[in-house]
Amino acid sequence: MYKLLLIEDYPVIQEMYGQVLQQKGFEVDIVKDGKDALAKLKDTKYDIILLDMLLPELNGIEFLKQFKDRGDTKIIALSDFDYKDTVKEAFALGVTKYWIKVENTPHLLAERLKILLGGGDADAMMAEQAPDSNK
Amino acid sequence: MSLETYTLTAQEQHKHVMQARVQQLIRIRWLYIVPIGFGSVGLLTLTNVHTPAGSNSMHILFLVGALGFNALLWWLARIARSVGYYKVLAILQVGLDIVLAAYGVYVSGAAHSRAIIFYAIPIVTSAIVFTRTFVYTATVVASVSFSGLVLLYNWHYPGAASRSEVVFVSIFYPFLFFVIATVVAYLTSFSTTAVRQESYEELLALLTHKLRQPSSTIAAALDMLEHDADSQKWTDSQKHAIALVKKENIHSLDLISSLLETARNASTQKKRAAQLTAIDLVPLLKSSAESVAETANRTADLRFDLAEPPVKTMATAEQLRVAFHKLLTNSFAYSQPGTPVTVKLQVTSGECEIEIIDKGKGMNDAEQAALFQPPLEKAGVAALHDPSKIGLGFYISKHIIEHSGGTVHVESRSGEGTTVIIRLKRSADV
């Protein structure tokens, strides 16, 4: 079972994503911002972190700057904020993927995470699933 | 940051601009190091003719000091990003460089003062953190100083330099300094414009995020509904309703993207070519038209006359879909049920020509002329009170189509219907 930390401030999104990811076999902890996440990460190791970028107290970029001891933890940015400099900086600070939340509904996200953790190409799956205007 | 707290106050803007200038200065640091190096070597070589005893060692001391000072400025600007400190140091550096150059003129005389020109560059580029007025003022002061010193030296040591050399220095130096100052001023304004544009882009990204949030929640909720165990028991009308909500949510997202892309393109003269891909127009037109017809409950009125696929053009699929959706929505909205709406696609040697034809109420000449105007110009203040008067559809569609390298125009007669004609370049990638 993979341990997952969801860093998300919007309660409705916390509830829906948390519920589905748990159903899909992830052991899920949820925090509302980067500051709480850093506190959590002092005691607990996670296989994957889902990180919203615009957060109260400590936002995604600042969290990435302060989260040093990562080990094998994969960090996925999951946000509807896709300002190009923020995306660039997030990758420079070590995120594995930067996924847009609205394009990654809970069940789809769970499948992509499993592929990613299994070493597969989660983006190839997205290309197949993307709303195809040519249909 | 959050949208609620993000503001573009003049003070904030100024701070961003100044930081960008400091970064600009760091990027052009070789304009300091190389000229000072060349200038110093040249100066040391040429000071043999009029060299008071001990001046070489003094000059070396000054040189080391200038290099060290520049290095300090660079390091401080880089780590502290403190514009205030940098301004003070920049003023000191300008002063030091002028003293150094003046001393070099005094030591070497007019005949060998050409190497001094290299010191002009750090003087002027230091001024990059100041206004353009300051840059030109620094240029004038520096060039007058040098020319004055050369003349003074020649007066003090009559015959030390030929008249032509004196004239050359007096005219050439100011001209060269002016050129350098102009380049620096250009860099300064470029960074200012770039920073302002970056701030605007960031604000648009924040708006996108805010506008997407409800759609994210809807998409997630729909996802959970569809995977619910009870979803197998849904009636056909329930499934249809869910599908409709899903479709309109996607359309809402596409609309947000295209609105913000239009705002982005409207703020810069550069078009964004990076996201264009080869799109087959046939399935895109079919799906857009069928979707709009279904929403309008007029599937029976939809007609197609499409070329054989693939018919490809370079575009962004989501944006083009929004454009077609808007134009088709207007065609259905302004025609009566029972009258046909026809979508035609023809291919010429280099173009794809799309026609959307309705037999609705049409438009008179004035309405046609106003069709593609920016919405608030067209609707005026009344639009602020009645959003239905804003009329975004044609305006956004025009922007999207032009962004794809195409054109759109309308042929219409009042009472006889409207034909929207879109021309897009055919992609070679077939």
Side-chain angles (χ1 to χ4, degrees):
Chain A
M1 186 178 272
Y2 293 113
K3 277 186 78 66
L4 184 148
L5 178 65
L6 174 62
I7 309 174
E8 167 63 54
D9 62 323
Y10 194 37
V12 174
I13 297 291
Q14 283 179 351
E15 185 189 330
M16 286 193 286
Y17 280 80
Q19 184 182 326
V20 169
L21 288 167
Q22 272 178 338
Q23 285 170 0
K24 292 295 181 181
F26 290 90
E27 192 182 321
V28 181
D29 287 333
I30 302 173
V31 293
K32 66 172 178 12
D33 62 35
K35 194 172 161 193
D36 292 348
L38 286 171
K40 197 90 177 162
L41 286 160
K42 280 188 184 143
D43 308 315
T44 316
K45 198 120 180 77
Y46 292 91
D47 298 295
I48 199 153
I49 295 173
L50 291 177
L51 173 66
D52 193 10
M53 296 310 285
L54 296 191
L55 298 162
E57 297 267 15
L58 194 72
N59 66 33
I61 292 295
E62 293 306 316
F63 165 79
L64 288 167
K65 285 178 182 172
Q66 294 186 32
F67 179 41
K68 303 284 184 192
D69 184 20
R70 299 180 186 184
D72 294 330
T73 305
K74 286 186 172 38
I75 305 175
I76 312 288
L78 184 69
S79 177
D80 285 322
F81 182 69
D82 60 352
Y83 178 53
K84 58 179 170 53
D85 284 359
T86 301
V87 174
K88 225 187 282 185
E89 200 174 359
F91 277 113
L93 290 168
V95 302
T96 308
K97 298 284 181 187
Y98 198 112
W99 288 342
I100 304 301
K101 202 180 296 176
V102 72
E103 295 171 3
N104 285 273
T105 52
H107 285 84
L108 179 60
L109 177 69
E111 287 183 55
R112 294 187 82 189
L113 288 175
K114 286 194 172 168
I115 292 173
L116 189 71
L117 287 164
D121 183 356
D123 290 332
M125 180 200 177
M126 194 61 180
E128 291 165 18
Q129 293 268 356
D132 184 356
S133 64
N134 285 335
K135 281 187 189 150
Chain B
M1 84 191 70
S2 69
L3 190 60
E4 289 81 10
T5 58
Y6 190 88
T7 55
L8 289 170
T9 63
Q11 196 180 5
E12 234 179 20
Q13 189 67 68
H14 181 71
K15 186 181 163 193
H16 282 307
V17 167
M18 297 308 291
Q19 284 184 337
R21 287 182 185 177
V22 168
Q23 293 306 309
Q24 187 76 35
L25 199 57
I26 290 171
R27 275 196 290 274
I28 60 171
R29 61 190 180 276
W30 297 111
L31 281 175
Y32 289 78
I33 295 170
V34 171
I36 285 178
F38 273 121
S40 302
V41 167
L43 203 59
L44 282 170
T45 306
L46 298 171
T47 51
N48 293 333
V49 177
H50 299 286
T51 308
S55 67
N56 268 348
S57 55
M58 284 298 292
H59 187 71
I60 290 169
L61 190 64
F62 270 122
L63 170 66
V64 169
L67 279 173
F69 203 71
N70 274 293
L72 177 67
L73 285 178
W74 175 27
W75 178 69
L76 280 172
R78 197 177 177 82
I79 63 156
R81 297 193 185 188
S82 170
V83 177
Y85 285 124
Y86 191 85
K87 272 188 173 178
V88 169
L89 291 170
I91 291 173
L92 291 174
Q93 185 212 359
V94 169
L96 178 68
D97 282 342
I98 289 177
V99 166
L100 177 64
Y103 182 75
V105 172
Y106 172 72
V107 165
S108 66
H112 307 289
S113 61
R114 291 182 189 86
I116 304 295
I117 206 67
F118 291 106
Y119 291 96
I121 296 171
I123 290 170
V124 179
T125 51
S126 300
I128 200 172
V129 291
F130 302 102
T131 63
R132 195 178 300 188
T133 306
F134 188 95
V135 169
Y136 281 111
T137 303
T139 305
V140 168
V141 167
S143 61
V144 166
S145 303
F146 289 142
S147 301
L149 283 166
V150 166
L151 292 170
L152 187 68
Y153 185 83
N154 198 52
W155 173 78
H156 190 66
Y157 294 100
S162 66
R163 184 172 296 182
S164 61
E165 280 174 325
V166 172
V167 168
F168 173 80
V169 167
S170 302
I171 295 174
F172 179 69
Y173 278 12
F175 171 74
L176 189 62
F177 282 24
F178 178 78
V179 167
I180 295 168
T182 303
V183 169
V184 169
Y186 169 75
L187 288 172
T188 305
S189 66
F190 180 76
S191 67
T192 305
T193 305
V195 165
R196 289 214 172 103
Q197 181 59 26
E198 288 296 318
S199 298
Y200 185 70
E201 296 265 351
E202 199 173 0
L203 186 60
L204 286 178
L206 278 168
L207 281 171
T208 307
H209 172 260
K210 277 291 176 187
L211 292 170
R212 272 175 175 164
Q213 267 184 337
S215 292
S216 284
T217 310
I218 291 168
L222 285 172
D223 178 61
M224 293 186 73
L225 267 177
E226 284 179 323
H227 285 85
D228 190 275
D230 288 336
S231 66
Q232 302 304 319
K233 303 174 196 166
W234 289 348
T235 63
D236 285 344
S237 63
Q238 283 174 322
K239 287 179 190 171
H240 178 73
I242 294 291
L244 198 61
V245 171
K246 204 171 173 181
K247 187 180 74 173
E248 289 303 307
N249 196 39
I250 291 172
H251 175 61
S252 172
L253 283 166
D254 287 345
L255 183 57
I256 290 165
S257 297
S258 67
L259 270 170
L260 291 167
E261 194 65 23
T262 301
R264 203 174 269 128
N265 284 343
S267 75
T268 116
Q269 295 308 311
K270 290 187 289 185
K271 302 295 182 189
R272 290 166 175 266
Q275 292 142 0
L276 302 182
T277 54
I279 306 294
D280 187 352
L281 287 170
V282 174
L284 180 59
L285 277 167
K286 280 199 80 174
S287 63
S288 299
E290 284 164 357
S291 171
V292 173
E294 189 185 345
T295 306
N297 209 19
R298 289 181 57 188
T299 308
D301 295 335
L302 184 59
R303 309 277 185 272
F304 287 110
D305 180 6
L306 303 176
E308 283 297 311
V311 177
K312 292 201 173 184
T313 188
M314 296 300 291
T316 305
E318 290 76 22
Q319 293 215 352
L320 211 53
R321 185 173 55 214
V322 168
F324 292 154
H325 194 283
K326 295 212 150 300
L327 295 169
L328 287 157
T329 300
N330 281 324
S331 291
F332 280 102
Y334 292 103
S335 61
Q336 292 295 318
T339 63
V341 172
T342 307
V343 179
K344 289 174 81 170
L345 173 63
Q346 298 173 13
V347 178
T348 60
S349 54
E351 275 191 344
C352 314
E353 185 177 285
I354 301 162
E355 290 182 359
I356 301 172
I357 308 161
D358 69 70
K359 299 295 178 191
K361 60 185 241 184
M363 287 176 274
N364 59 35
D365 290 342
E367 286 169 332
Q368 285 184 66
L371 200 58
F372 295 109
Q373 276 179 354
L376 288 181
E377 279 178 29
K378 181 172 56 179
V381 175
L384 297 174
H385 300 287
D386 181 1
S388 68
K389 285 186 165 50
I390 291 179
L392 288 169
F394 277 109
Y395 180 70
I396 291 176
S397 303
K398 178 172 179 279
H399 263 279
I400 290 171
I401 290 161
E402 286 177 353
H403 169 60
S404 306
T407 59
V408 56
H409 73 274
V410 167
E411 292 172 359
S412 185
R413 277 179 187 251
S414 212
E416 293 183 18
T418 299
T419 299
V420 179
I421 303 165
I422 302 160
R423 291 194 177 90
L424 293 161
K425 288 184 194 137
R426 194 170 181 195
S427 167
D429 176 19
V430 176

